[in-house]
Amino acid sequence: MRPSLLRYAAQALRRRDYSSAAAAAERKVAILGAAGGIGQPLALLMKLNPLVSSLSLYDIAGTPGVAADVSHINSPALVKGFVGEEQLGEALEGSDVVIIPAGVPRKPGMTRDDLFNINAGIVKGLCTAISKYCPNALVNMISNPVNSTVPIAAEVFKKAGTYDEKKLFGVTTLDVVRAKTFYAGKANVPVTEVNVPVVGGHAGITILPLFSQATPASNALSHEDIKALTKRTQDGGTEVVEAKAGKGSATLSMAYAGAVFADACLKGLNGVPDVVECSFVQSTVTELPFFASKVRLGKNGVEEVLGLGQLSEFEKEGLENLKGELKSSIEKGIKFAHAN
Ligand SMILES: NC(=O)C1=CN([C@@H]2O[C@H](COP(=O)(O)OP(=O)(O)OC[C@H]3O[C@@H](n4cnc5c(N)ncnc54)[C@H](O)[C@@H]3O)[C@@H](O)[C@H]2O)C=CC1
Ligand SMILES: O=C([O-])CC(=O)C(=O)O
């Protein structure tokens, strides 16, 4: 890779300067499911992140090749591949951040909840190992259904006595990435300047973009435009699943989103101030035990779960409408963790 390309990719992830103090800490990042559709480009992006000193790539198959490939890139992170359960402990030991994109993706006609039966067990097994080998790591859960896999992880950690609600995150960054892109296109504003909070959960109507708080503000958008943007954001995953026609779901945009979120976690750990991202975390923002909203990240993970701010009538309605589905997905995860 040419140095200019390397610089470009690193810059794409960088929304604040990496101060020398922040960049100095040694940080190990592990990716579980690293040989998959998301795992491979995510491994590439994390290899390019200057905050990563050690990159551990784990999967049940295929990681030696991915690790050999990525390790040739002339950036500082030292890359190691681990394959099979017997190497999982070594892969995890000493990790500061563990990113989990392990599990099956959707095919057309499926909901994220249809993945529950397979992915719940995968996530449970991986979280059991995390509680044993790196109980202090920040966990970035990508595996679907996120609305259930995060509660499963919480229950596994509670059982092991290692649960720290500040360290468990459902990755909803792709919803934010989509909301920003779709809003910029419709409002005709520069996409790199756009911010849109997305709250709730990560499936269908539980995804609630707050376009009334989007910046730069636009008065060019009608109520119909906002409704259409909301629906497109909620259906963004399905749009990709259908376009891929049986060959999986979002991988490249998800790898980008996962890299943005992991980068924010690393900056928070390193003491960079005012790092705020939306994430699905343990929450008291609503009556639901887990909820996605803006979160301030710090040296211990979640520093502060931020409130929802002022909502439009349309958003208030969306919030009430999503609670039933989100509640039952959370309960399904908790029930699974207790029963298995
Ligand atoms: N949170 C989000 O916004 C998004 C979540 N996803 C979810 O991410 C997950 C992965 O998607 P893809 O990478 O496209 O799937 P994929 O099938 O291409 O890759 C999954 C990888 O997980 C590995 N794996 C399976 N069991 C494992 C285990 N026990 N330990 C370690 N690795 C294991 C597989 O070997 C495979 O390499 C899916 O559940 C998908 O729904 C996808 C896009 C967005
Ligand atoms: O739609 C899916 O199944 C994958 C996903 O979570 C997304 O792309 O948002």
Side-chain angles (χ1 to χ4, degrees):
M1 180 166 298
R2 296 201 322 271
S4 57
L5 205 56
L6 184 69
R7 258 198 311 276
Y8 174 79
Q11 273 163 5
L13 289 170
R14 185 185 300 151
R15 279 165 303 157
R16 282 181 201 86
D17 284 343
Y18 291 93
S19 72
S20 52
E26 297 272 304
R27 294 293 177 198
K28 175 171 171 177
V29 172
I31 302 178
L32 312 183
I38 296 167
Q40 291 200 38
L42 182 57
L44 169 65
L45 293 171
M46 296 318 292
K47 170 69 171 138
L48 299 180
N49 188 313
L51 301 182
V52 180
S53 52
S54 167
L55 181 61
S56 177
L57 304 180
Y58 173 80
D59 205 302
I60 50 173
T63 23
V66 177
D69 189 354
V70 170
S71 74
H72 289 187
I73 295 169
N74 59 323
S75 65
L78 193 70
V79 181
K80 282 194 188 150
F82 300 91
V83 67
E85 235 182 291
E86 61 287 356
Q87 294 185 8
L88 179 54
E90 204 189 331
L92 289 171
E93 242 155 22
S95 294
D96 296 288
V97 176
V98 179
I99 315 174
I100 312 183
V104 288
R106 282 201 283 165
K107 288 187 188 312
M110 293 171 83
T111 66
R112 289 178 182 81
D113 186 59
D114 292 333
L115 306 172
F116 186 98
N117 288 345
I118 298 177
N119 290 354
I122 292 174
V123 162
K124 184 168 181 276
L126 293 173
C127 290
T128 303
I130 290 169
S131 64
K132 190 164 170 201
Y133 295 105
C134 55
N136 296 318
L138 304 192
V139 175
N140 293 184
M141 183 68 70
I142 293 175
S143 311
N144 270 318
V146 167
N147 292 353
S148 303
T149 53
V150 169
I152 291 172
E155 292 307 310
V156 170
F157 296 149
K158 279 181 201 167
K159 211 171 183 175
T162 65
Y163 182 53
D164 180 348
E165 73 275 10
K166 293 184 169 61
K167 298 193 168 178
L168 176 60
F169 303 88
V171 181
T172 57
T173 320
L174 182 53
D175 302 316
V176 176
V177 164
R178 287 178 177 139
K180 286 178 177 181
T181 305
F182 303 157
Y183 176 84
K186 200 77 189 168
N188 200 20
V189 290
V191 70
T192 51
E193 286 171 26
V194 170
N195 262 312
V196 185
V198 182
V199 303
H202 179 68
I205 62 158
T206 72
I207 300 168
L208 184 62
L210 304 181
F211 288 112
S212 70
Q213 296 175 20
T215 53
S218 165
N219 45 24
L221 299 181
S222 66
H223 181 59
E224 286 313 304
D225 290 333
I226 297 292
K227 267 171 73 178
L229 280 173
T230 301
K231 175 117 178 65
R232 189 165 180 214
T233 306
Q234 291 173 333
D235 293 346
T238 306
E239 186 177 318
V240 179
V241 168
E242 280 167 6
K244 290 200 174 180
K247 296 216 162 72
S249 55
T251 53
L252 304 173
S253 51
M254 181 59 237
Y256 168 76
V260 165
F261 189 71
D263 180 65
C265 287
L266 290 166
K267 283 186 180 139
L269 286 177
N270 289 357
V272 176
D274 291 324
V275 180
V276 174
E277 290 290 338
C278 290
S279 181
F280 184 66
V281 293
Q282 183 176 313
S283 175
T284 53
V285 163
T286 67
E287 64 273 32
L288 301 174
F290 294 91
F291 197 81
S293 66
K294 283 201 235 173
V295 168
R296 189 185 313 285
L297 296 156
K299 290 187 176 177
N300 299 306
V302 176
E303 201 155 80
E304 188 185 1
V305 178
L306 300 169
L308 297 178
Q310 186 86 35
L311 302 186
S312 68
E313 287 308 310
F314 175 65
E315 290 160 358
K316 281 182 194 161
E317 206 178 294
L319 177 61
E320 289 316 307
N321 288 342
L322 70 79
K323 285 181 181 170
E325 180 182 331
L326 187 49
K327 183 168 187 278
S328 64
S329 298
I330 292 168
E331 283 169 357
K332 186 171 175 180
I334 294 172
K335 198 166 155 210
F336 171 87
H338 286 178
N340 290 273

